[in-house]
Amino acid sequence: MAITMRSSINALADNGFVAAGYKVFQIDCGWQSYTRNSTTGSLAVDSTNFPSGLKPLADLARQRGMVWGMYTDEGVLACDTATPRPGSLGHEAADAAFFASLGAVYVKVDNCYVTSDSNAPKTARTDFPSRFGNMTKALRSNGIDLALACQWGVPYSSSTGLEGPDQWAPAVNYTSYRLSDDITNDWVSVIRISNQLMHIALAGRTGPGAFADADLLEVGNGQLTLDESRSHFALWAMGKSPLFISTDVAGASADTLAILLNTRLIAINQDSLGQPVKLVQRWSNDRDLYAGALAGGDVAVLLVEHGGYARTLTVDFATLGIASADVLDLWTGATSTGATSYSAAVGAHGNVALRLSRVTYTTTAAPTLNWYEAESATLSNGANIQTCTGCSGGKKAGYIGTLTFTGVRTSQATTNVRFDYVNGDVQFSFSNYTNARGASVSVNGGTATEVYFPISGYNWDTDVWKSFLVELSGFNTSGPNTITINGGTYLSQYAPDFDRIGVVA
């Protein structure tokens, strides 16, 4: 194993990865011996796999231009699916001192075996801040400031309700936190994690000091198509996730190298402002549009194809409140000046990734909206009214069977309807779920539109997604309209809870 790692370190340097910005070489689970160091009490190195220890590898990484990162687990045992190795719970000081002796500057802290009989617990816990905080205290006392809280997005049960790691991990000095459960090597997993990142980005809880970590890149591992790999990389890069390669770069294909070494997207990821792109609008089963600010006034734009077929996608800059901009295509390098839109051919699950500069914004006033509360709508098929601290009127409609809004008035036959909703249904790996709840929405009895609402947070009482845009047609501009929401689709058994809807007056 030591020989393989030495080869990987050299391959990263020799193939341009270090020069492109990949600066942390982190060893993961499996380096530990099954017993602790009898003298220091710290974790010991598996001498079978690493007969010379880890120091020569750490030194080589530094010689090749990288820094060294370690792995441990804040449980009694570590995440090893064969024979579990020791964790750091109760041994934080000794283990942190050992990591420092190797010159480590970064540590991934995992969450397996909080008790010896539970490998990967996914139920809410009350001890995340205290347990994980003990490790960062020990790390910082040994000069190690960079740490990842890898607890898979499992809810923290606080005194005020459930919270995600974006809410508690920064307060105990984690500079990054795993926003979701582990990635698996498939497109559904990419969707699941990107859906979970959306509410974190909108809330402004990822950025300098504490970045949301979307887990390893699966680019080059053989299951994602080329277009899916490009979208996966673009989502992680523009979402400002740390970019950790998990493939064998020494044997990587030209396509894999081109994705992982895309310096234009890496520059977006490493932009000094550190702000992720945010979801602007979802056209369910079709495309997602994101945009985000960059240092110096530039704007990052990402349009991801979700229809599952090759076509030409167009970004209309007016949708972003932009009148014109200079455009850099982050995949092809093509440029244009003073553009009002940009089109590109993409494959199934492909993307258009852009950097806009010299941006001129529109001066259109925000529209006047008519709002309609869910508690005033007609509820049927099991739907009921519930209290909701974060909702506009202190109430919401839940257990949606059917929710019907009547008397809806708008001046537009086709319009973006605003949905304020709550979805705290956090989902995990190996489930084929996508961290979204579905509903069918129809106007005046017309053909229903399937809409997929990403999770809005962890707390069903407070975490309301405000003004989620859904483009709907079939409105009567001269009289009242009816909007009907039916719960559940093939994607999910249940719909989210709804606070209110808003339409352009």
Side-chain angles (χ1 to χ4, degrees):
M1 187 174 293
I3 295 173
T4 301
M5 288 185 60
R6 183 177 293 274
S7 174
S8 296
I9 292 169
N10 286 323
L12 286 165
D14 294 342
N15 287 283
F17 285 90
V18 177
Y22 294 91
K23 299 291 189 181
V24 179
F25 190 91
Q26 183 237 313
I27 190 171
D28 215 280
C29 191
W31 65 266
Q32 312 96 314
S33 172
Y34 295 102
T35 57
R36 288 185 162 271
N37 185 304
S38 60
T39 302
T40 66
S42 73
L43 292 168
V45 179
D46 185 331
S47 59
T48 300
N49 289 321
F50 303 95
S52 299
L54 295 180
K55 188 65 161 55
L57 294 170
D59 289 341
L60 177 62
R62 285 186 282 269
Q63 291 165 13
R64 300 310 308 267
M66 291 176 278
V67 297
W68 182 255
M70 288 296 295
Y71 166 95
T72 192
D73 184 276
E74 194 54 21
V76 295
L77 299 170
C79 294
D80 194 315
T81 56
T83 304
R85 303 163 191 265
S88 287
L89 187 64
H91 300 272
E92 291 84 0
D95 292 348
F98 174 64
F99 302 154
S101 75
L102 297 172
V105 302
Y106 168 90
V107 178
K108 171 183 173 181
V109 184
D110 222 331
N111 187 48
C112 288
Y113 289 106
V114 182
T115 58
S116 60
D117 59 347
S118 181
N119 178 13
K122 301 294 170 63
T123 54
R125 298 187 60 87
T126 60
D127 65 348
F128 282 131
S130 58
R131 183 161 51 88
F132 275 76
N134 287 337
M135 178 53 77
T136 47
K137 289 176 185 176
L139 292 173
R140 293 208 164 196
S141 68
N142 282 276
I144 301 174
D145 294 333
L146 302 178
L148 163 65
C150 183
Q151 53 74 263
W152 326 306
V154 175
Y156 162 51
S157 183
S158 75
S159 59
T160 57
L162 297 182
E163 297 180 5
D166 53 307
Q167 294 167 277
W168 65 261
V172 290
N173 294 317
Y174 279 88
T175 51
S176 60
Y177 53 86
R178 176 69 64 75
L179 69 95
S180 68
D181 200 3
D182 290 353
I183 191 170
T184 54
N185 193 9
D186 53 65
W187 181 242
V188 171
S189 189
V190 173
I191 295 173
R192 172 180 57 80
I193 294 170
S194 59
N195 276 340
Q196 195 158 353
L197 176 57
M198 290 176 184
H199 78 91
I200 297 171
L202 287 172
R205 291 199 288 260
T206 177
F211 284 95
D213 185 311
D215 204 0
L216 302 172
L217 292 165
E218 292 286 359
V219 176
N221 289 337
Q223 294 301 313
L224 298 175
T225 68
L226 178 59
D227 287 291
E228 289 170 346
S229 294
R230 287 173 173 161
S231 292
H232 169 29
F233 187 77
L235 283 162
W236 267 231
M238 288 196 176
K240 301 300 190 293
S241 171
L243 301 177
F244 276 95
I245 298 166
S246 68
T247 197
D248 177 12
V249 298
S253 69
D255 285 336
T256 294
L257 293 175
I259 295 171
L260 295 175
L261 291 173
N262 184 319
T263 54
R264 291 180 288 265
L265 273 165
I266 292 171
I268 299 290
N269 180 257
Q270 296 294 300
D271 179 75
S272 61
L273 193 62
Q275 296 303 306
V277 293
K278 301 176 182 179
L279 183 71
V280 176
Q281 186 162 358
R282 162 167 289 177
W283 292 268
S284 295
N285 285 326
D286 191 77
R287 63 199 188 279
D288 284 351
L289 176 63
Y290 302 80
L294 298 170
D298 286 5
V299 177
V301 178
L302 181 63
L303 185 61
V304 181
E305 200 283 325
H306 285 293
Y309 61 96
R311 52 179 160 151
T312 296
L313 288 181
T314 298
V315 180
D316 181 355
F317 295 166
T319 307
L320 307 173
I322 293 173
S324 66
D326 293 350
V327 182
L328 171 63
D329 187 314
L330 298 173
W331 287 115
T332 68
T335 60
S336 60
T337 58
T340 59
S341 65
Y342 189 84
S343 299
V346 302
H349 302 155
N351 72 91
V352 181
L354 308 174
R355 183 178 191 133
L356 307 185
S357 57
R358 295 180 59 221
V359 178
T360 301
Y361 289 93
T362 60
T363 57
T364 305
T368 301
L369 301 174
N370 292 329
W371 289 98
Y372 301 87
E373 296 286 340
E375 60 266 29
S376 299
T378 301
L379 288 76
S380 56
N381 296 324
N384 64 16
I385 302 300
Q386 304 169 12
T387 59
C388 175
T389 302
C391 294
S392 60
K395 296 179 181 179
K396 64 179 180 179
Y399 292 101
I400 302 300
T402 303
L403 184 63
T404 304
F405 295 87
T406 57
V408 177
R409 293 184 176 272
T410 178
S411 61
Q412 300 181 343
T414 297
T415 188
N416 283 325
V417 178
R418 278 78 173 163
F419 285 77
D420 288 6
Y421 72 90
V422 186
N423 176 11
D425 187 11
V426 177
Q427 297 163 334
F428 300 101
S429 302
F430 313 109
S431 63
N432 208 38
Y433 292 137
T434 62
N435 273 321
R437 281 194 168 192
S440 298
V441 184
S442 61
V443 177
N444 295 326
T447 302
T449 298
E450 289 188 342
V451 183
Y452 299 118
F453 298 89
I455 63 171
S456 60
Y458 283 69
N459 193 318
W460 286 91
D461 184 55
T462 58
D463 292 343
V464 182
W465 189 308
K466 303 285 188 180
S467 293
F468 182 85
L469 299 180
V470 178
E471 185 178 284
L472 296 174
S473 301
F475 288 98
N476 178 358
T477 60
S478 60
N481 297 273
T482 298
I483 296 178
T484 303
I485 302 172
N486 285 300
T489 64
Y490 77 90
L491 179 74
S492 67
Q493 182 178 357
Y494 302 107
D497 296 347
F498 292 99
D499 174 12
R500 63 178 182 170
I501 62 171
V503 296
V504 176

